[in-house]
Amino acid sequence: MGTIKSCRDASKSFSNLRSPSPPPVTSSTSRFETVNGSHEFRINGYSLNKGMGSGKYIASDTFMVGGYAFAVYFYPDGKSAEDNASYVSVFIALANEGTDVRALFELTLLDQSGKGNHKVHSHFERRLESGPYTLKYRGSMWGYKRYFKRTLLETSDFLKDDCLEIRCVVGVVKSHTEGPKIYSITPPPSDIGQHFGKLLESEKLTDVNFEVDGEIFSAHKLVLAARSPVFRAQLFGPLKDHNTECIKVQDMEAPVFKGLLHFIYWDALPDMQEMVGLNSKWASTLMSQHLLAAADRYALDRLKLLCEAKLCEDVAINTVATTLALAEQHHCFQLKAVCLKVIALPENLRAVMQSEGFEYLKESCPSVLTELLEYVAKVTEHAVNTCSGYGNGTVLDGNYANGRRVRQRLY
């Protein structure tokens, strides 16, 4: 027969057992609020509505609150026959299909004497007593059978020039429950630009070539057409270029067209200094100016605005006049305003007038000089900030390279 061995120290064995962890505590919040809206109902010719008969009403236009339609009903001879037309009745009715629409209401008969003694019947003030009223179906209503005694109404300040005004306020009750978010997954940012950019760099599946200033650029018709209405017309329109093996682009330099393609595929500005091959702010400004003109030519509005913002950041003494001319020619009104304000500053005006860009401005856009004079007349020593990074008493950098002024041309 087997034997049963007893535990040497039962208390020690049980002490090793862990007590169960408390259950997790969860929480949620139920939120109730009202979506409020108001409507003013004006009744002209009150006396002409007398004698309609009990139960006959004049309805306001419907108005929406919280996704439901309501209307004000005014009964000149009362809603019920038992009142013997001694009282006028006013109600707010549900005017569309709805099930159990819970709401608070307020009716105000406006005092037209200017004294502000309005007659107010408010459900909002009594919500703790009875809670919201429920309208169960179309035509359900809330209001007062004996709203106002007719004889008193017709001798009161509420009736003026045979006109009554009733203001109605409706607060539709909405509710939702909020609970803790147990799981959260953060999606990555869009990388579609990288995919298209790498497609451009790979030069695979290209079906159109452009010759620009002696250089050849390969691209994809569908991508160009999707991004630019000008390319769409050129490649697929009735007057499209049939020789897509090599389309010549006139009046544009190769680095500018390369930057244009970069934006079309990457949806971002290229590295301006890398495009020009010069490491200076002047080179960046010059590239931005050319790229803005190209963006306007090919109706790339986002690129145009990005170039405007870049030129605003890099505005300088020896480039601001050229930028102003560019803004005028390509209808960049925000950039134009910035340039005018910067040039008009007393500490900048003389230096700008001595720049080569100012001579170009006078020749290409003489009408802008009149606007510039108006700005100069308005500017004081305490000029307000006109662009991020440039403000009161700031003399702009002239951007000279190696001690000499650099001519504005891309190489």
Side-chain angles (χ1 to χ4, degrees), residues 7-17:
C7 181
R8 289 175 298 173
D9 192 341
S11 62
K12 288 184 179 180
S13 298
F14 283 105
S15 66
N16 292 331
L17 295 176

PDB file of all heavy atoms in Angstrom, residues 7-17:
ATOM      1  N   CYS A   7       3.207  17.550   4.101  1.00  0.00           N
ATOM      2  CA  CYS A   7       4.062  18.737   3.853  1.00  0.00           C
ATOM      3  C   CYS A   7       4.716  19.124   5.162  1.00  0.00           C
ATOM      4  O   CYS A   7       4.076  19.192   6.199  1.00  0.00           O
ATOM      5  CB  CYS A   7       3.208  19.887   3.328  1.00  0.00           C
ATOM      6  SG  CYS A   7       4.173  21.376   2.957  1.00  0.00           S
ATOM      7  N   ARG A   8       5.998  19.414   5.087  1.00  0.00           N
ATOM      8  CA  ARG A   8       6.702  19.747   6.307  1.00  0.00           C
ATOM      9  C   ARG A   8       6.241  21.072   6.897  1.00  0.00           C
ATOM     10  O   ARG A   8       6.139  21.213   8.102  1.00  0.00           O
ATOM     11  CB  ARG A   8       8.213  19.793   6.047  1.00  0.00           C
ATOM     12  CG  ARG A   8       8.809  18.428   5.805  1.00  0.00           C
ATOM     13  CD  ARG A   8      10.275  18.522   5.431  1.00  0.00           C
ATOM     14  NE  ARG A   8      10.459  19.259   4.190  1.00  0.00           N
ATOM     15  CZ  ARG A   8      11.660  19.599   3.713  1.00  0.00           C
ATOM     16  NH1 ARG A   8      12.749  19.304   4.390  1.00  0.00           N
ATOM     17  NH2 ARG A   8      11.746  20.253   2.579  1.00  0.00           N
ATOM     18  N   ASP A   9       5.981  22.097   6.059  1.00  0.00           N
ATOM     19  CA  ASP A   9       5.571  23.417   6.591  1.00  0.00           C
ATOM     20  C   ASP A   9       4.544  24.011   5.641  1.00  0.00           C
ATOM     21  O   ASP A   9       4.892  24.644   4.644  1.00  0.00           O
ATOM     22  CB  ASP A   9       6.779  24.334   6.708  1.00  0.00           C
ATOM     23  CG  ASP A   9       6.448  25.582   7.518  1.00  0.00           C
ATOM     24  OD1 ASP A   9       5.251  25.880   7.652  1.00  0.00           O
ATOM     25  OD2 ASP A   9       7.391  26.246   7.998  1.00  0.00           O
ATOM     26  N   ALA A  10       3.301  23.750   5.959  1.00  0.00           N
ATOM     27  CA  ALA A  10       2.227  24.174   5.060  1.00  0.00           C
ATOM     28  C   ALA A  10       2.150  25.678   4.935  1.00  0.00           C
ATOM     29  O   ALA A  10       1.854  26.230   3.885  1.00  0.00           O
ATOM     30  CB  ALA A  10       0.886  23.617   5.550  1.00  0.00           C
ATOM     31  N   SER A  11       2.445  26.365   6.016  1.00  0.00           N
ATOM     32  CA  SER A  11       2.328  27.817   5.981  1.00  0.00           C
ATOM     33  C   SER A  11       3.327  28.422   5.012  1.00  0.00           C
ATOM     34  O   SER A  11       3.051  29.385   4.307  1.00  0.00           O
ATOM     35  CB  SER A  11       2.532  28.400   7.383  1.00  0.00           C
ATOM     36  OG  SER A  11       3.845  28.104   7.845  1.00  0.00           O
ATOM     37  N   LYS A  12       4.524  27.850   4.938  1.00  0.00           N
ATOM     38  CA  LYS A  12       5.537  28.365   4.024  1.00  0.00           C
ATOM     39  C   LYS A  12       5.136  28.116   2.591  1.00  0.00           C
ATOM     40  O   LYS A  12       5.350  28.925   1.698  1.00  0.00           O
ATOM     41  CB  LYS A  12       6.882  27.718   4.316  1.00  0.00           C
ATOM     42  CG  LYS A  12       7.504  28.199   5.611  1.00  0.00           C
ATOM     43  CD  LYS A  12       8.885  27.594   5.795  1.00  0.00           C
ATOM     44  CE  LYS A  12       9.532  28.105   7.085  1.00  0.00           C
ATOM     45  NZ  LYS A  12      10.873  27.513   7.274  1.00  0.00           N
ATOM     46  N   SER A  13       4.534  26.955   2.330  1.00  0.00           N
ATOM     47  CA  SER A  13       4.137  26.640   0.957  1.00  0.00           C
ATOM     48  C   SER A  13       3.089  27.605   0.459  1.00  0.00           C
ATOM     49  O   SER A  13       3.146  28.100  -0.668  1.00  0.00           O
ATOM     50  CB  SER A  13       3.598  25.207   0.891  1.00  0.00           C
ATOM     51  OG  SER A  13       4.607  24.305   1.256  1.00  0.00           O
ATOM     52  N   PHE A  14       2.081  27.927   1.263  1.00  0.00           N
ATOM     53  CA  PHE A  14       1.021  28.840   0.830  1.00  0.00           C
ATOM     54  C   PHE A  14       1.513  30.271   0.717  1.00  0.00           C
ATOM     55  O   PHE A  14       1.004  31.065  -0.073  1.00  0.00           O
ATOM     56  CB  PHE A  14      -0.168  28.768   1.795  1.00  0.00           C
ATOM     57  CG  PHE A  14      -1.005  27.550   1.594  1.00  0.00           C
ATOM     58  CD1 PHE A  14      -0.956  26.489   2.479  1.00  0.00           C
ATOM     59  CD2 PHE A  14      -1.837  27.463   0.487  1.00  0.00           C
ATOM     60  CE1 PHE A  14      -1.724  25.370   2.269  1.00  0.00           C
ATOM     61  CE2 PHE A  14      -2.608  26.334   0.281  1.00  0.00           C
ATOM     62  CZ  PHE A  14      -2.549  25.281   1.177  1.00  0.00           C
ATOM     63  N   SER A  15       2.529  30.580   1.508  1.00  0.00           N
ATOM     64  CA  SER A  15       3.019  31.957   1.444  1.00  0.00           C
ATOM     65  C   SER A  15       3.706  32.235   0.124  1.00  0.00           C
ATOM     66  O   SER A  15       3.874  33.382  -0.275  1.00  0.00           O
ATOM     67  CB  SER A  15       3.981  32.229   2.604  1.00  0.00           C
ATOM     68  OG  SER A  15       5.159  31.442   2.453  1.00  0.00           O
ATOM     69  N   ASN A  16       4.131  31.182  -0.577  1.00  0.00           N
ATOM     70  CA  ASN A  16       4.795  31.371  -1.865  1.00  0.00           C
ATOM     71  C   ASN A  16       3.826  31.653  -3.000  1.00  0.00           C
ATOM     72  O   ASN A  16       4.231  32.031  -4.098  1.00  0.00           O
ATOM     73  CB  ASN A  16       5.632  30.134  -2.209  1.00  0.00           C
ATOM     74  CG  ASN A  16       6.819  29.973  -1.268  1.00  0.00           C
ATOM     75  OD1 ASN A  16       7.322  30.971  -0.753  1.00  0.00           O
ATOM     76  ND2 ASN A  16       7.242  28.736  -1.046  1.00  0.00           N
ATOM     77  N   LEU A  17       2.551  31.390  -2.741  1.00  0.00           N
ATOM     78  CA  LEU A  17       1.558  31.638  -3.784  1.00  0.00           C
ATOM     79  C   LEU A  17       1.284  33.137  -3.879  1.00  0.00           C
ATOM     80  O   LEU A  17       1.093  33.800  -2.864  1.00  0.00           O
ATOM     81  CB  LEU A  17       0.251  30.901  -3.460  1.00  0.00           C
ATOM     82  CG  LEU A  17       0.335  29.376  -3.459  1.00  0.00           C
ATOM     83  CD1 LEU A  17      -1.011  28.796  -3.032  1.00  0.00           C
ATOM     84  CD2 LEU A  17       0.726  28.854  -4.834  1.00  0.00           C
TER      85      LEU A  17
END
